Amino acid sequence: MAFSSGQIVRFHDIDRAGIVYYPRFFDYIHRTFEDFCDAEVGVPHHKIVDELKIGFPVVHIESEFHHPLQHGDRITVEMTCARLGRSSMTMRYRLFRPGATEPAAEAAITTACVDIADVRPIPIPDLLRAAFQRHLAP
Amino acid sequence: MAFSSGQIVRFHDIDRAGIVYYPRFFDYIHRTFEDFCDAEVGVPHHKIVDELKIGFPVVHIESEFHHPLQHGDRITVEMTCARLGRSSMTMRYRLFRPGATEPAAEAAITTACVDIADVRPIPIPDLLRAAFQRHLAP
Amino acid sequence: MAFSSGQIVRFHDIDRAGIVYYPRFFDYIHRTFEDFCDAEVGVPHHKIVDELKIGFPVVHIESEFHHPLQHGDRITVEMTCARLGRSSMTMRYRLFRPGATEPAAEAAITTACVDIADVRPIPIPDLLRAAFQRHLAP
Amino acid sequence: MAFSSGQIVRFHDIDRAGIVYYPRFFDYIHRTFEDFCDAEVGVPHHKIVDELKIGFPVVHIESEFHHPLQHGDRITVEMTCARLGRSSMTMRYRLFRPGATEPAAEAAITTACVDIADVRPIPIPDLLRAAFQRHLAP
């Protein structure tokens, strides 16, 4: 049910403390959403912006960090849809280190669905809604 | 009571949607914490790591985004201490656009206080505790 | 003759090797150019893009790195104009650690001056040209 | 003869001008070097740092930017070794957009090979030297 994206912790994701700088977790998360658009929506993320003129500004984040990530970790990011509203949604992301059964970090990211021209909320288009629905796990 | 840090939204903080990429808010927040160490603890952040051997890994984030930030915005980040435990603390950050009375974004960031050698929780040292205490706003 | 911008090496500029990740030098450089627009052109960089509709895409870089930068370093970036053409220019940047007489790094950055609508080269507008001229050091 | 790494231009690589922020090119380049260590040296980059205690600080860059990169571009980065010295080397990188025969950008990156404990130059170890040699293209 979850959508999965494999990613690699890179040299420049590491901070002065020798572990992944926590805002980089949101880069892994954003890449996962982009990969989801490609694989599950069938429309690359840049076309969703350019052609469908849709944006997903973040309105709320709740995130927990359990274990640090290290350079070279080949992580798996799992994404499910926790809530699917008319013009907003909450996606849940869980980041796993290689072989781990418990996530290193998890986040619930709530975004609006807006017309990028005027940043007004619009209903989530059917194409996207169907893809989110297939990964719904409230 | 709040500690304040003035910052500028830079060209490279902006994402493909034309507004600040939301993980960059955590850069503004981290810079504010560094400025706080300088100004209020009296020990620069890099010396807290190098000499006191203390780190503050993030364990929990809750964050709300109300208004996008734009290139060139001269923002003010206000920081207070929302909870001061024995070896963990929650700092509250509010980011204001120029002249705004309502924050553009806010975040509660909970960090552990650890010995960087073994990442074990340690009591927050008095020097830091006193500085946090002066900005306590539960 | 050189324009100067003071900057601080931040926690998240540091990479896994414990020194500034070299592409971050270009962030310091870009901030210096933005500070120059504010202080010397009298038009903030975001207005140069939004109102004058001008962009400065980079076409060539030559850069030397002499000494690593560390977390907490309060660096000075000095900028001069090494070459001022009709619709392109080369700016020279030198980054100094506190108290240093020799630069930690230096870069010559050549940019085109373009209309952002069609990315065609345009003559550097007089307002900008005059500011660059005042810092010319071939 | 060139080593190739496929990469995707991500949402957060794009700057306020709507194209890839030029320092991000060096992220693509660094990822390529990391992929090379995995595939051609047979030792992941993080083990080269942790176990072989070797670092490659950048000492010189020369780079040309021909065409901007856009969000969603699936680029190919080609790497060859342009010069292989005793304790330094110059790698050449060329970034291609999908289907392009001319690079969008190219860079020659010269790094020292150092002992990370004291940042003293050391001879490039045979394991790495052999891999670089196989991709030598002066």
Side-chain angles (χ1 to χ4, degrees), chain C residues 5-18:
Chain C
S5 163
Q7 297 189 37
I8 302 173
V9 172
R10 298 297 190 165
F11 183 82
H12 50 272
D13 294 334
I14 302 302
D15 66 19
R16 185 250 204 280

Side-chain angles (χ1 to χ4, degrees), chain B residues 26-62:
Chain B
F26 301 109
D27 290 348
Y28 305 141
I29 281 172
H30 205 286
R31 281 189 206 111
T32 301
F33 187 76
E34 294 185 53
D35 290 348
F36 176 86
C37 293
D38 256 15
E40 295 290 316
V41 180
V43 183
H45 188 261
H46 67 277
K47 290 200 176 168
I48 291 175
V49 182
D50 284 341
E51 294 174 14
L52 305 184
K53 308 289 185 196
I54 289 172
F56 295 103
V58 170
V59 295
H60 188 268
I61 290 174
E62 183 154 7

Side-chain angles (χ1 to χ4, degrees), chain A residues 34-45 47-48 52 127-128 131 134:
Chain A
E34 294 185 51
D35 290 348
F36 175 87
C37 293
D38 257 14
E40 296 290 316
V41 179
V43 183
H45 187 261
K47 289 200 176 169
I48 291 175
L52 305 184
L127 189 67
L128 286 149
R134 287 196 305 275

Side-chain angles (χ1 to χ4, degrees), chain C residues 23-80:
Chain C
R24 302 282 177 263
F25 284 80
F26 301 108
D27 291 347
Y28 305 142
I29 281 172
H30 204 286
R31 281 188 207 110
T32 301
F33 187 76
E34 295 185 52
D35 290 348
F36 176 86
C37 292
D38 257 15
E40 295 290 316
V41 180
V43 183
H45 188 260
H46 67 276
K47 290 199 176 169
I48 291 175
V49 181
D50 285 341
E51 294 173 13
L52 304 183
K53 309 288 184 195
I54 289 172
F56 295 103
V58 171
V59 295
H60 189 269
I61 290 173
E62 183 155 7
S63 190
E64 285 196 76
F65 301 86
H66 307 294
H67 296 287
L69 296 180
Q70 312 280 350
H71 181 209
D73 279 351
R74 291 174 171 270
I75 60 172
T76 302
V77 186
E78 288 190 2
M79 175 183 127
T80 54

Side-chain angles (χ1 to χ4, degrees), chain A residues 41-73:
Chain A
V41 179
V43 183
H45 187 261
H46 67 278
K47 289 200 176 169
I48 291 175
V49 181
D50 285 341
E51 294 174 13
L52 305 184
K53 307 290 183 194
I54 289 173
F56 295 103
V58 170
V59 295
H60 189 267
I61 289 173
E62 183 155 6
S63 189
E64 285 195 76
F65 301 85
H66 306 295
H67 296 286
L69 296 181
Q70 312 279 350
H71 181 208
D73 280 351

Side-chain angles (χ1 to χ4, degrees), chain D residues 3 15 37 57 70 75 96 99 125 130-131 136:
Chain D
F3 173 76
D15 66 18
C37 293
Q70 312 280 351
I75 60 173
F96 294 89
L136 202 61

Side-chain angles (χ1 to χ4, degrees), chain B:
Chain B
M1 175 161 303
F3 174 77
S4 263
S5 164
Q7 298 188 37
I8 302 175
V9 173
R10 297 296 190 167
F11 183 82
H12 49 271
D13 295 333
I14 302 300
D15 66 19
R16 186 248 204 282
I19 56 174
V20 170
Y21 176 53
Y22 75 89
R24 301 282 178 263
F25 283 79
F26 301 109
D27 290 348
Y28 305 141
I29 281 172
H30 205 286
R31 281 189 206 111
T32 301
F33 187 76
E34 294 185 53
D35 290 348
F36 176 86
C37 293
D38 256 15
E40 295 290 316
V41 180
V43 183
H45 188 261
H46 67 277
K47 290 200 176 168
I48 291 175
V49 182
D50 284 341
E51 294 174 14
L52 305 184
K53 308 289 185 196
I54 289 172
F56 295 103
V58 170
V59 295
H60 188 268
I61 290 174
E62 183 154 7
S63 189
E64 285 195 77
F65 301 86
H66 307 294
H67 297 287
L69 296 181
Q70 313 279 349
H71 181 209
D73 280 351
R74 292 176 171 268
I75 59 172
T76 302
V77 185
E78 289 190 2
M79 176 184 127
T80 54
C81 182
R83 192 187 57 81
L84 185 54
R86 188 178 160 278
S87 62
S88 84
M89 70 227 192
T90 301
M91 309 309 278
R92 186 174 306 279
Y93 297 88
R94 303 200 306 158
L95 290 79
F96 293 89
R97 289 175 303 170
T101 53
E102 294 300 310
E106 48 196 315
I109 313 267
T110 302
T111 59
C113 177
V114 305
D115 182 322
I116 54 166
D118 56 8
V119 199
R120 291 257 185 97
I122 54 169
I124 298 168
D126 288 347
L127 189 66
L128 285 149
R129 177 174 297 279
F132 296 149
Q133 196 99 45
R134 287 196 305 274
H135 296 83
L136 202 62

